[in-house]
Amino acid sequence: MSRRKLSRRQFVAATALTSAALVTAPYVRGAHAAGKLSIGFWDHWVPGANKASTDIVNAWKEKEKVEVTIDYIPSQGNKNLLTIAAEAQAKSGHDILAMPTWWPHAQSELLEPMNDVMEDLIKRNGEPNGTVKYLGQSKGKWLAVPASVGSQIKGPCSRIDLMKQHAGIDVQALYPAGAPPKADSWTLETFLKAAEACHKAGVPFGIGLGETSDNVDTAGAIFQSFGAALVDEKGNLTVKTDAVRQALEYYKKLISFLPPDVGAWDDASNNKWLVSGKGAMIMNPPSAWAVAKRDAPQVAEQCWTHGFPSGPKGRYAPYLAYFWGTWSFSKNKEAAKSVLRALSQPDAIEKMVVASGGYDLPCYEKLTTLKVWQEEGPPKGTLYHYPNPHNHQTLSIAAAPAPPKIAQQIYVQATLTKMCLRYHKGEPMEKVLAWAEGECEGFMRS
Amino acid sequence: MADVALQPNRSAAQTGRKRSSLHNALKRKSTVAFLMTLPLLLLIAALVIYPAFYAVHLATLNKSMQRFIGFNNFEFLFKRETFWLVVKQSCIFAITAVIFKAVLGFIIAHFVHNIPAKGQRKWRGMLLVPWVIPPAMSTLAWLWLFDPSYSAFNYTLSFFGIGPIPWTGDAMWARFSVILVNIWVGAPFFMIMYLAALKSVPEQLYEAAAIDGANWWQRIWYVTLPMMRNIIAITTLFSLIVTFANFDIVRILTAGGPLDQTHIFATWAFRIGIEGSDIPLGASVSLFMVPILAVAAIFILRDISKRGNEA
C-alpha cells in the first residue's frame, strides 16, 4: 500500500489555486439564487393546519427561487413571546415572525413598515377591522401584516338545548344560519337572566375570571358594552367614572351565577367546561366545539356560536388578532414582503381557514363570508355567525381604546378581571377603583 | 565574541529553567485542579456571570431600552403596592417551604437511617423520585389534582363530605398548594444530604452519650445536631436561594393568581418582562433579592468556615 506524501509547497499551491478558482468562478443562478428566508409561524393547535401555511410558502419559494426555513413556534408556555423577546434583544432571528395582539406595538421600533404591502392587500381584500388597525398601526405606519392564522373572535358558544330548556332562549332563532341576526332582544339584561336560570338548573355559564386572555377578553367586551374604559385613547385615566361603576355592578351580579372557582380559570378551563357538558355557555372561538366534536359528539351537536349580548353603549365582541412582522434588521426584507403578500391572497387565506376548520378568522371585510363557516357542522351552520358576517357587533379588544402600550399592561395584568373579583369579594367600590387607578398610573411609565 | 558565545548558553539555561518551572507548575496539584475546573469556570462565566451583568445593565434602562435611567426602575418598584405584595409572598413562600423541607428531610433521613442496610437502598431511591422528576412535569400532575373544577383531591374528599376546596382559587389555599408542591419536590434533597451527614456521625459518640444516660432527645440535641450543623447551614442556604428563585411550580399551578396573591419574584418578573414587554422592569424585579441573599450567604458561609477553623 503506497501513500503519496503532500509537501508543504504542494499544499500551498493547491490552496492558492482553489481559492483563485472560487473567487473568479462565474455566478450560476441556482435553485436558491434569490437568497434565504427564515419564518417563525405560530404553531397551530389544529392538527394539520400548519400544512396549509407550509404549502403556500413552498409554492412561493419554488416560483421565487428562495431558500426558506419554517419554524412552528408554539404559544404553550409563551414560547412565542420568549422568541420575540430574545430576537429583539439579539437583533437577529427570523425574517418573519408571528406576533400576537400587542407585540407589534411592543416592538414597534424594531419592525419594518408594511405600508406598501398593506396598501395592496386592502385594495384586494377590503378594509381590516378596527381592532387590527388599532393593534397593527402606529402613527400611520403599518407595523406588521395581519395574519389570519391564529386570529379569532371569542364570542358565546351556547348549548342550544340547555339555553332553550332553562333560559327559554332559542339561540338558533336569534342567530339563524345563513341569515342576519334577529338579536335585538339579546342584551346584557337577557344574558344575566339566562345566566341565573342556567345556574339554578345546575348548568352555569362557564365564564372565567382568571388572568389569562379568554377571561380578560370577555370582561373587556362587557366593559366596552357599558362604555367603560380605564384609560382613554389620549392616555387619560378614566377609572372613576359611572360607566366603570356600572360595569362592576353588572359583573358582581354575574359572578354570583358562575361556577365558584372561576377566579382560578385559565384558557383551558372554559373549553373543559363545555366539553364536559357541565355548562350552558362559554366565551370562546370554535376550538372547544372542535374538541367536543372529537371527544363528546353529543355535546358538539348542541353547540351554536353566535354574537355577544348588547349593552347600553353597544354590542362588542373580543377579536384577538395575530400578525406577521418583519424585523428591521432582517436580511431579506423584500422576500419577506413578497411571501407575506402570497400568504394574504384571498385563496391562500381561504385555504388556511379551511385547514383550521374555520377557527382562523381573517380581518378583511371581504373575507368574512367564506363557505367553510356556512358548511361546518354538526349542527350545520354552527359557525355561520362566528366571523361576524353581518357586522352585527363591533370587534374590539379589552383595554382599548387606551394607547396600545398602556393597554397591553392593563390586558396582561388582567386589571379588569381583578377589579371584578375584588368587588365581588366585598371590597368597597371606591377602594377597587382607587387600586385600579394606581395600577393604571404605573402602566403609563415610558 | 564572548557575548555571542555566551548568549546561546544563557538562553538554553533560561529555556531549561522555563521548562522546569512549567513542569513544576503542572506538577503542582493546584495548577492541575485549576486546569480541570477551567471548562466549568468558562461555562459559568458564559451562562451565569455574563447574563447576571447583562441583567444589571437591563435594569438600568428605561422601558423602551433606549435610555440609561440608573436606579429609577427600583424607585418605581418601591412605590408599587403589588411589588411589596410580591416581596411578602416570596418571603412567605421561601421561608415556609425551606423550614418544612428541612424538618421533613431531617425526620425522613432518620427513618431511612434506621432501616437495615439491606432494604435501605430501595427506600432511598423511591424517596428521591419527587426530586428527580423534572418539576415542570410533576407540577402538571399536581395541577390536575388541584384543578379548579375537576380536582381529584376534591373528588376523594367528597366521599367524606368535605369540600370542594378551592385549591387554586382562594388566596390562602393557593399559597398552601404552591408551598406544598415545593416541599414535595425539595424535601428529598434535604433527606439525602442529612442522611449522608447522619452516616458520618461516629457511632462512638452515641455510645458515649448512652453511657452518660442521654435519652433520645438529648442524643439528637447534643450529638446529632452539632455534628450536622454545617450540612444543615449549607443545605438551608442552597435551598433558600433556589426556592426564592422558583418559577415553574407557581407558574404552572396558579400563574400568580388569584389576584396576584401567589406571585413570587420570578413569576412576577416574567409577567412584567416577557408578557408585558417591559424587560428592564422585569430584570429589576428579578435582581431585587440578590443583595439580600448575598448578605445571607456571606453570614452563613462565614459561620461555617469559622466552625471549620475551630475544629
Side-chain angles (χ1 to χ4, degrees), chain A residues 3-22:
Chain A
R3 192 185 235 180
R4 205 180 144 221
K5 260 180 121 184
L6 188 70
S7 70
R8 188 176 60 87
R9 204 174 282 269
Q10 280 171 322
F11 173 77
V12 172
T15 310
L17 274 173
T18 315
S19 310
L22 280 173

Side-chain angles (χ1 to χ4, degrees), chain A residues 442-446, chain B residues 61-65 67 69 73 278:
Chain A
F443 300 155
M444 286 176 185
R445 97 191 190 97
S446 56
Chain B
L61 300 178
N62 71 332
K63 190 178 170 188
S64 56
M65 294 193 276
R67 220 174 56 238
I69 54 165
N73 284 329
D278 194 343

Side-chain angles (χ1 to χ4, degrees), chain B residues 14 32 34-35 94 105 141 145 158 174 186 225 238 244 260 265 281 294:
Chain B
Q14 270 174 351
V32 175
F34 174 74
L35 287 175
L145 294 172
S158 68
L225 279 176
F238 182 76
F244 260 115
D260 295 328
F265 286 113
L281 198 63

Side-chain angles (χ1 to χ4, degrees), chain A residues 311-332:
Chain A
K313 296 288 182 219
R315 194 186 298 275
Y316 286 84
Y319 182 82
L320 205 83
Y322 251 86
F323 295 88
W324 290 309
T326 295
W327 296 116
S328 52
F329 47 80
S330 158
K331 284 174 187 147
N332 208 346

